[in-house]
Structures are given as structure tokens and as C-alpha cells.
Amino acid sequence: MSTRPDLSPDHPRPAPAAGFGSVLDADAVAGAFWNEVHDAAGRLRPAWQRFAAAVPEMAATREARGELDRRVQQVAQQLHRDGVTHNVFSEGGDSGAAARPWSLELLPNLVAPADWSVIEAGITQRAELLEAMLADLQGPQRLLHEGLLPPTLLWRHPGWLRPVVGAQPAGGQRLFIVAFDLGRDAEGRWCLLAQRTQGPSGLGYVLHNRLVISRQFPEAFRELRVQHIASSYRALLDSVEQRAGALTPGGSGTPRVVLLTPGPYSETYFEHAYLARYLGLPLAEGGDLTVRGEHLFLKTVEGLERVHGVLRRVDDDWCDPLELRPDSALGVPGLLQAVRAGTVVVANALGSAFLETPALLGFLPGICERLLGAPLAMPSLPSWWCGEAAAWADARGRLGELVARSTYPSGVRTSRVLPSDPAAIEADPEAYTLQARLRLSHAPTWGAGAVHLRPAVVRVYAIADATGRWHVLPGGMTRVAGHNPETGGESISMQRGGASMDTWVLTDGPVDTFSMLPSKLSVDDLAARRRPVSSRTGENLFWLGRYTERTEQLVRLARATLALIDADSDAAAPELRALTDLAVRSGLAPWGVPGLERAPHHFERAVLSAIGDASASGGACSVAFNLNALSQAAMALRERLSSEHWGLIRHMREAFGEALRVPGAAGATATAGAAGAAAAAGAAGAAGAAGAAGAHAELPTRAQVLAALDRLGLHLAAVTGAQTDRMTRDHGWRLLTVGRLTERLIGLALRWQAFLAAQALGRAAGVELLLELCDSLITFRARYQRHEDLLPLTELLVLDSTNPRSLAGVLRRLRTELGKLPGGAGDAAATAAAVGSAQAQSQIQAQVRTQILSQVPLAPPALMPLVGLLPASGAGLALEDLRGLSEAEVAARLLGLCEGLADAAAALANEVGERFFNPAHGQDQRV
């Protein structure tokens, strides 16, 4: 979020009051700022009197203060459970982002009815003015011809997009939502500080803030007659959908509208996902959309689907790499051409970024008189654009009283504070805008058992309805200053440590009880409103399933490996070789590390080093690495996963890292560093040097890791339950399931290959170890008691289709889910007809294996169902096929089968990606 006007260095900072109802210190009350709580005589303002009367905890007692402190903790816990974050970028915007928990104060900011009537009138007029200005500047440009706006200010601004000049927007509306930042001066008068028109942020946070804080004070919320905000969100959606509906066949169909986001690394990604879910819109990134024949399409797993409207949260210059920023990976090539052709409604219109410059504020009074025939109802913060010689001459002698800001955007900032250097301004006056300092009003916050007053800025939103009339959302987001440890001062910027408050607009009239639920839907509406599964969403769900299964397999393998490394163990060499091979091929240990047979304790250190290394710096993609990948896939699916599902995945990763923390170690897990280097050295063959390097590394103990793995196993079982039993069975869920089953098929095949190749199934210990890794030990003992020969093991882990951990059981479910995906066979008869004879299928599988081994791109017949890559029935092997064979011959048959199934699973994963995640692959894009 953008920075706010700097606070005056001599801004008074009152000490906290002992209790909410107490009269503040006389000097504080009489300070040079507006006190939102008390009047000049120290009396509670009427709104706060009513609030204090409705909240018994406002009494100045120790018990009351303790209750409010507990509610502060409840708010923080709720934000953590919901995963509400705000990504913080460096000042230059090029050093990545770090997710920070959203900061929400317990107390709301109360806006009295009289104040709101002033705000509503002023903001409604401002929104009308900006819409009229944009229409003029992108059309006849009377403001430039008549000298009401300097052309230089327009031409130099990077937000002025010449490609859209003269274009008529689809639906006729350019701005649908505009945000305004307001402050109060020392006399209590409202003043406009800034305006946001590209993709105004905060609506999702406003909604979530309201849900959290209103539940903390339900009686006060009701007694104070706080105006509800749902109707404003409904008006925004109706406004976009009605105009987009005119673009459907016949002009009366149900349009497809998407919310365009920059992606998970956007500073406000949480609210994008939250808002998309609340409005019922697909959340799309630039890569999810494509332009064909001047029309915009969403890439889905079922093909391309026409998009009629876009609610965008991507800044103007990033929206189209073809005509704007060529380095943008966030936009849609050809989007401007679709906009010019009038085939898509974009809210807000491209080219509106220019309206955000602070230099514009000084010209608005004259422009308002010209376009609306009336003076501005609400004043702006006094501003002087130094590109005008008269303005610079007037302000030059008062630089100490003013704040210098950039006229044009820089980095991730729309405008930033600059040094007030006369020589620098003289060198490039157009780049500077000077603004008056405003002593912002102070709003109450609660912390450590006391009320604190902090400077505040209120962001409010104007929304255009379906008829083009403007309405102001009766609420908004108040930002209050937080202490900034970097500067030692206070800042209202959320990027620099500010906090938010829910904004309660009180009313003397009826409270709007509107719900987001619209009127009853028809049968046609139900069919048209199904949520599509975009290709990116399908891919993330596919990998969510794969990473979940892969992590679960690694946990089981890690437990078995660490339990086996024991001085009293009687494990034979074949079992040790099998486990070493499996651990290395699965990513539990780095390649080249001395194995369990040669150096068990060195191998143990390599496993302990890699298990908590989320960056795979030691060369092994172990448990923490896959947990991190799982969390990233879940982050990209925030609008689809329940808060419990997403919270469980996040907690699982955090808890595992915390459980591996070594007391006194600097890092969170302290498992990568020198030990990772040791493992790498071991991989190079320098076992002695590796041992020396790792001897002093701080690693978690074996017991510590085993306990962490046990807890992680329980968490993974819960995640599996959420994916299995708490998600709608649409194509997205099927792709998740296919991803999980594909990974399980690969894992089972690898386990069989490792144990068969090492000849580790000739003893009871080897059989029991394989059964444990396949999670089938209890079933095997119940069915076959103490038999440990290969045939019963094969029956349970290969041929039994009722066992979800057998090859046949996995393949049966894979065939079922693949058949239900777009282009699937649908039933067994169709599958058999499509796949053909067993001989033809064997030829296909042989071709698949040859292509994989030779690294030739896989290209199965275009019309062949995906199940054609798998055996037609069972596991591709029948029990009768093993009659009369020796154990060695059975082992050879199984080894060949598992090699073929592993290849087939890899081919299936590739083909799923080609078929569903690249729907525009191979097609020309014309713009």
C-alpha cells in the first residue's frame, strides 16, 4: 500500500490513558490535532459515549483491561487462523517480498452520521469528477486544449497510455471503484490526501476486518446502528456483470467475469483470494488468460472459455507485455487490442494510473468547475506542482513547511517522499510536487491495558452501480501509525509497520440489512454459474496432490530409515542396500553419500541434515523441501481451499520446522549449514572431510526427528482427510487425486524396484520393512500370519485391487478418475474400445518407455484416453500368470512390471500437463 503524508517531527504523542473512560491529560486534549475520542474539554464524544455504554469492558478496572487484552489476543489468533497476510517489499521493490501477518487493532474507528454525510457528498462528487476527467482525456481532451491541465504533466507520466486514447470502453463506464484517503485537520475538517484508480486495494481487508471486529463487540455493533457494507460489494459485482452481459450471445446471457491478480507474491494477495471467493469469481493470473481473435479467454482444463469482464488488481503498465511493459510476466498479451475492440469490460479501465499523481490535486478545483459546473465539495491537501514556474516560485521559500513528493511513480510506490533539496528540484521541477503538512487526527487503539491515541488516515471507496451512479461504501479502512523501528518514528504506511482499524459508520436512519445473496437463480443461471477450473488452478491442484503424497511417503521412509540405524540392529546387507537406494532416489539423502552398509552413522547425519533443509542446499529434496513446495501450491489455491485446510498446511510446515529447532542454534531448523556441506562433500567421495565438516554441525537428534515425524504424520493424515472428504468432486479435485495417485504409483514402483534389485525380500525383516513402507503390515499379518514368501506379498501389494496401497488398487482408482476428466473414456467398455487389444497396449507402453529413456517428447495418439498409458485392468499382471514360477522368476516378472509402471506413471504425468495445463499450446495468438 502507498505511503501516507509524513507526520510532523514535533507531532505530540500523548501518554496512554489509564482507562478508556478517563479524561486524557489536558495538554494532550488541547494538542494541535483532532482527538477522535474526546472533545476540547476532555469529554467523550457522543459516539464513544454510546460505545462505552454498550461495552462493559470499557470500565477503568483491572479486570476490564484484562478482558480487552484477551480480545486483542483473540483478534491476532483469528488473523493467524485465517492466514491474513500482507507481503512487505523493499523500498526499491526489487528484493522480493516477505509475508507479514496483517495488523488489526481491536477498537473500531467510529464515524458519526454528520461526518459521514460530509464524506459521502465529497467522495461522490470526486468519483464523478474522475470518471469525467478520464473520459475527456481519453476522448476530446478539452482539459488540455483549454489549458486546465498542463500537457507536460500528462505526457511524461508513465500511467498515461496512448494506446487507449480514443477507445470507447465496453459498457461505457471507465471507473467502477475508486479509493480515497482522507485525513482530518486540527479543526476536524475532512481533507482529501490521495486517490487510487488503477486497482484500489483494501476491499478484501475491509470485509475481513468487519467480520472479525464486529464479533468482538456484537452488542455495540447493534446498539450503535452501524451501517452494513454487503450491498456495496453486490453493487460492484452487478455493475461489472451487467455491462459484461451485453457482450454475451444475444446480450442477455450470464457473463464470465474473473478477478485478475498479479499472483501470490503480490503485497495484497490474501485479499485478492478472499474477495474472489466472496464475490464468487474465478481468481486468474495473467498466464491463465489468452487473447484469440480480439476476444479474451480463460484457459481451463476443458479448453478455452470466453471472458466478458475483468475486475483487475494488476497495475496498468503490467497488463499487456505486447504493447506496454515487455518485461511483464503478469499481464495478458493482446489485452489492449481486446479492450480497443470492445469485447471485454475491464474494471478499472486501463490508462487510469495518471489520476493517482499528487500533482493533479492542485488542478482539480478548476477542472471540477469546468466539468461538473460546481466547486469541490471537499478540499484536497494543498499541493504545488513544481513544473509550473509560478507554483515553484510561490512554494520555494517555504520548503521547511512542506513535504516534497515524487510526481511520477517510482518502484512499487505511486508516490514517495523525497528530500526537500532546492537544487534537485530546480534541476527537474516537473518531478516534484510539494504538499502542505497535515497534523492528522488521532484515533484510539488498545494495547497493554491502556488506550493509545495514534495518527490516522481513513480510506473510503466509491463504487459505480449498474446505472453509472456512484455510491460510497459505508465504512472503509482506517490506518493508524505504528512504531517504525527502522526510523524510530511513526508511519501510517502498511508497508512500514502501520496497523488497520475497522471503520464503523453510524446512522440515524435504517440499517441496510442487504445480503450478498442475490435474487433466486433460474435453471439456466445454475448451469452458467458453475466455477471453471483454470489450467493454472488445475496444475496447482495436481501438484498439491503430488506433494502431499510425496511428503507422506518421505515421512514413512525417514521413520523406517532412522529406526533401522541402530547399534543393535540385525539388518542384513540387502536390506541396507535397498533402503539406501530408496532414500537416495526419493530425495531423503543426497546422491553419492556413503550408504547404510558402509557408513551408517554418516548416512544418518546426511538424513538428519537434509530432513529440515527447505532449500535443498545439501542436494537432497527431503521432507522440509516438499513441505515448503506443498505450502506454495496451497498458497496459489487460497480461493479454493477452506481456511482450515490452508491453515493446517501452513501450521504443519511451521510446526515441523519448530520441532527440529536445535536449542541455541541460530536458524529455525539448524539442519542445513555445515551438515549440508558435509553431505555434499560425501557425495563427492570425500567421506573423511565430510565427517570432519559435519562433526561440529548442530543437528537435531534422532529422537527429536522421529517425534517430529510422528506429529507430521498425524497432520498429513488430516490434510489427506480434507482433500478426500471436504472438497467438491469437480475436475480440479480429480486432478488433485490423479496427481496423488500418480505419485503413489511412482513411489510403490520405486519401493518394489529397490527391494527386488537388492534381493532384500528373502528374509522376514526385508518383507516386514517393505510392508511398513507400503502401509500394509497389519493387513498382511491378519491375512497371512507369519508367511513371508514372495507370492502372498505380491498378492497383497501388487494384485489386490481393494488395497489402496497396492499397484492394482492405485491403478483402479487412476483409471476411474482419468475416465471422468475431459476427454476421458467414461466407462470400462469405452476404455477397452479406445485402448484396443492387450497387444496394442503393450506396444504403446513399450513406445512410452523408449521415448522416456531416449528423452524424446511424448506424443501418444491425440484421441487416445489417458488410461491408454496404463494397463487395461488390474496391475497388468494376473495371479494365474505366476503359477509354477520360482521365486526368482516371480521377482524378475515383478521387476519388469514395476519398471514399466514407473515409466507409465511418468508419461501420464507429462501427458496430463500437456493436455490440461497448456490448452493454448500449439495455437497461434493473434492480436
Side-chain angles (χ1 to χ4, degrees):
M1 295 183 181
S2 304
T3 54
R4 301 290 148 226
D6 279 13
L7 305 176
S8 176
D10 59 349
H11 221 56
R13 188 175 181 182
F20 188 86
S22 302
V23 177
L24 297 178
D25 179 81
D27 292 337
V29 173
F33 59 87
W34 181 264
N35 188 322
E36 297 287 352
V37 184
H38 295 84
D39 61 21
R43 295 183 299 267
L44 283 175
R45 299 190 185 277
W48 285 106
Q49 288 180 16
R50 295 168 59 195
F51 185 87
V55 181
E57 292 80 10
M58 292 294 102
T61 65
R62 178 178 300 178
E63 293 76 11
R65 293 196 296 271
E67 172 59 26
L68 290 178
D69 287 339
R70 283 190 291 273
R71 293 193 185 188
V72 170
Q73 294 302 316
Q74 290 174 3
V75 169
Q77 291 167 3
Q78 184 65 52
L79 295 177
H80 184 265
R81 280 195 300 269
D82 293 345
V84 189
T85 57
H86 180 257
N87 295 334
V88 181
F89 290 84
S90 64
E91 185 67 27
D94 56 358
S95 301
R100 188 187 71 188
W102 181 249
S103 181
L104 175 61
E105 296 292 340
L106 174 64
L107 298 178
N109 183 28
L110 306 184
V111 181
D115 285 320
W116 185 248
S117 64
V118 173
I119 292 173
E120 193 170 29
I123 294 306
T124 299
Q125 184 196 53
R126 290 275 181 164
E128 294 172 353
L129 176 61
L130 293 181
E131 171 70 20
M133 281 186 62
L134 192 58
D136 177 77
L137 294 173
Q138 293 184 350
Q141 299 185 341
R142 294 188 300 267
L143 297 178
L144 298 179
H145 297 314
E146 297 174 13
L148 293 172
L149 193 64
T152 305
L153 178 59
L154 191 66
W155 307 145
R156 184 172 172 181
H157 197 287
W160 172 245
L161 304 184
R162 291 177 176 81
V164 296
V165 173
Q168 291 298 316
Q173 188 80 17
R174 287 176 168 83
L175 300 180
F176 291 77
I177 174 172
V178 185
F180 299 90
D181 292 329
L182 309 179
R184 285 221 230 204
D185 63 16
E187 303 301 322
R189 293 169 298 201
W190 292 99
C191 176
L192 186 137
L193 309 178
Q195 51 204 24
R196 299 288 175 259
T197 54
Q198 294 187 78
S201 64
L203 274 180
Y205 291 117
V206 168
L207 182 62
H208 193 273
N209 287 357
R210 172 59 55 86
L211 293 175
V212 172
I213 300 304
S214 62
R215 291 171 181 169
Q216 292 295 327
F217 305 107
E219 296 84 2
F221 188 81
R222 182 176 57 255
E223 294 297 326
L224 269 64
R225 303 182 63 80
V226 180
Q227 196 60 274
H228 296 186
I229 59 177
S231 59
S232 295
Y233 291 85
R234 184 73 241 175
L236 173 62
L237 185 59
D238 287 345
S239 181
V240 177
E241 284 191 338
Q242 179 165 319
R243 290 173 173 82
L247 304 177
T248 61
S252 59
T254 301
R256 170 64 64 203
V257 179
V258 301
L259 194 153
L260 179 60
T261 173
Y265 297 105
S266 166
E267 60 181 356
T268 55
Y269 180 72
F270 163 80
E271 75 150 341
H272 301 174
Y274 191 78
L275 194 59
R277 179 184 294 177
Y278 183 71
L279 297 177
L281 302 179
L283 186 64
E285 296 180 23
D288 296 331
L289 303 171
T290 186
V291 174
R292 295 286 186 271
E294 297 185 337
H295 291 83
L296 186 65
F297 292 89
L298 176 67
K299 303 173 187 175
T300 78
V301 298
E302 297 184 79
L304 300 181
E305 179 175 326
R306 172 79 186 277
V307 173
H308 308 91
V310 176
L311 186 61
R312 70 178 179 94
R313 292 301 308 274
V314 177
D315 287 348
D316 282 1
D317 53 343
W318 297 92
C319 281
D320 187 344
L322 191 65
E323 297 193 52
L324 301 175
R325 288 187 62 140
D327 61 335
S328 171
L330 307 178
V332 185
L335 180 60
L336 259 68
Q337 181 63 21
V339 168
R340 287 193 295 264
T343 60
V344 62
V345 174
V346 178
N348 285 336
L350 295 169
S352 61
F354 163 75
L355 299 174
E356 297 182 353
T357 175
L360 191 63
L361 299 182
F363 299 96
L364 289 182
I367 293 175
C368 186
E369 291 278 3
R370 172 64 180 84
L371 294 181
L372 302 185
L376 282 174
M378 178 182 292
S380 303
L381 187 68
S383 304
W384 294 263
W385 179 52
C386 297
E388 280 196 317
W392 170 227
D394 178 52
R396 180 167 187 164
R398 298 181 288 117
L399 285 182
E401 305 171 9
L402 305 175
V403 176
R405 304 192 70 91
S406 59
T407 300
Y408 309 112
S410 174
V412 298
R413 308 291 184 193
T414 298
S415 178
R416 60 191 179 95
V417 177
L418 302 173
S420 299
D421 182 359
I425 298 176
E426 194 68 54
D428 188 9
E430 295 174 2
Y432 288 79
T433 298
L434 301 175
Q435 292 187 317
R437 294 181 182 273
L438 179 67
R439 294 186 182 276
L440 296 168
S441 64
H442 281 45
T445 64
W446 183 271
V451 173
H452 304 260
L453 291 180
R454 295 192 182 277
V457 168
V458 180
R459 171 167 287 193
V460 296
Y461 300 85
I463 294 172
D465 65 16
T467 67
R469 295 181 57 200
W470 288 94
H471 304 268
V472 184
L473 183 146
M477 181 166 57
T478 300
R479 293 181 184 80
V480 290
H483 181 68
N484 186 354
E486 296 180 1
T487 64
E490 290 180 310
S491 174
I492 301 184
S493 167
M494 298 300 292
Q495 285 280 346
R496 300 183 179 182
S500 68
M501 300 176 70
D502 189 16
T503 305
W504 289 10
V505 173
L506 314 186
T507 179
D508 294 327
V511 174
D512 184 4
T513 59
F514 178 84
S515 167
M516 266 297 289
L517 295 175
S519 58
K520 294 181 179 181
L521 297 175
S522 67
V523 173
D524 292 337
D525 290 332
L526 295 179
R529 287 180 180 269
R530 63 179 181 81
R531 181 168 61 171
V533 179
S534 72
S535 299
R536 176 187 56 85
T537 297
E539 185 172 16
N540 282 317
L541 285 166
F542 180 75
W543 280 101
L544 186 73
R546 293 196 69 175
Y547 282 126
T548 302
E549 179 66 25
R550 189 178 296 179
T551 306
E552 190 174 293
Q553 291 181 15
L554 279 171
V555 168
R556 190 168 292 275
L557 178 60
R559 285 192 299 205
T561 302
L562 293 175
L564 193 67
I565 304 173
D566 193 322
D568 299 328
S569 173
D570 61 348
E575 296 148 29
L576 296 176
R577 288 196 300 270
L579 211 53
T580 298
D581 179 53
L582 190 55
V584 171
R585 294 179 69 181
S586 299
L588 188 65
W591 286 92
V593 66
L596 284 168
E597 191 178 7
R598 286 179 50 200
H601 293 294
H602 188 91
F603 193 84
E604 177 188 28
R605 290 189 64 81
V607 170
L608 294 177
S609 169
I611 207 162
D613 183 6
S615 64
S617 59
C621 302
S622 191
V623 177
F625 178 86
N626 282 280
L627 272 178
N628 192 52
L630 172 63
S631 182
Q632 289 179 347
M635 169 64 79
L637 294 165
R638 287 296 302 273
E639 84 281 10
R640 289 186 65 95
L641 301 183
S642 68
S643 58
E644 293 86 359
H645 191 171
W646 155 248
L648 180 59
I649 291 175
R650 186 191 62 221
H651 172 73
M652 182 170 64
R653 183 193 63 183
E654 295 171 352
F656 186 70
E658 185 62 30
L660 297 187
R661 185 187 298 275
V662 177
T669 60
T671 59
H696 304 291
E698 296 185 72
L699 297 176
T701 65
R702 185 193 311 165
Q704 183 181 359
V705 172
L706 285 171
L709 290 171
D710 287 341
R711 287 191 294 272
L712 180 57
L714 293 175
H715 289 151
L716 283 166
V719 170
T720 298
Q723 294 174 357
T724 303
D725 196 46
R726 302 187 68 181
M727 295 181 70
T728 304
R729 265 55 171 172
D730 61 359
H731 291 321
W733 179 84
R734 292 191 182 97
L735 285 168
L736 181 151
T737 304
V738 167
R740 179 156 195 157
L741 293 172
T742 301
E743 192 66 34
R744 185 174 298 177
L745 182 59
I746 293 172
L748 290 173
L750 285 180
R751 280 158 173 71
W752 271 104
Q753 288 180 68
F755 277 77
L756 289 170
Q759 299 181 350
L761 297 178
R763 297 189 337 131
V767 171
E768 187 161 312
L769 184 57
L770 179 59
L771 286 167
E772 179 64 32
L773 292 175
C774 295
D775 195 17
S776 298
L777 181 60
I778 295 176
T779 303
F780 186 84
R781 291 302 178 212
R783 186 178 298 182
Y784 298 111
Q785 291 77 48
R786 303 302 302 175
H787 290 278
E788 279 124 6
D789 46 310
L790 190 55
L791 201 57
L793 192 65
T794 301
E795 192 279 331
L796 178 64
L797 297 185
V798 176
L799 306 177
D800 186 358
S801 62
T802 66
N803 180 9
R805 301 285 172 168
S806 76
L807 293 173
V810 173
L811 288 165
R812 177 181 60 83
R813 289 196 60 203
L814 260 178
R815 284 189 288 266
T816 299
E817 300 306 333
L818 288 171
K820 295 178 181 178
L821 286 171
D827 55 40
T831 299
V835 173
S837 66
Q839 180 180 2
Q841 184 173 336
S842 298
Q843 293 174 353
I844 291 173
Q845 291 180 348
Q847 176 189 3
V848 167
R849 186 180 305 179
T850 301
Q851 289 175 315
I852 291 176
L853 294 177
S854 61
Q855 296 185 344
V856 175
L858 181 66
L863 298 179
M864 185 188 74
L866 291 171
V867 292
L869 299 172
L870 305 174
S873 62
L877 180 71
L879 188 60
E880 189 64 29
D881 297 335
L882 305 180
R883 185 183 297 275
L885 299 183
S886 66
E887 289 227 342
E889 291 172 326
V890 171
R893 290 287 299 272
L894 291 176
L895 186 58
L897 174 69
C898 291
E899 289 174 351
L901 290 178
D903 292 343
L908 176 64
N910 290 337
E911 181 61 14
V912 167
E914 284 296 315
R915 190 169 297 191
F916 298 117
F917 309 150
N918 298 293
H921 181 69
Q923 301 181 33
D924 293 332
Q925 180 162 314
R926 300 174 181 176
V927 296

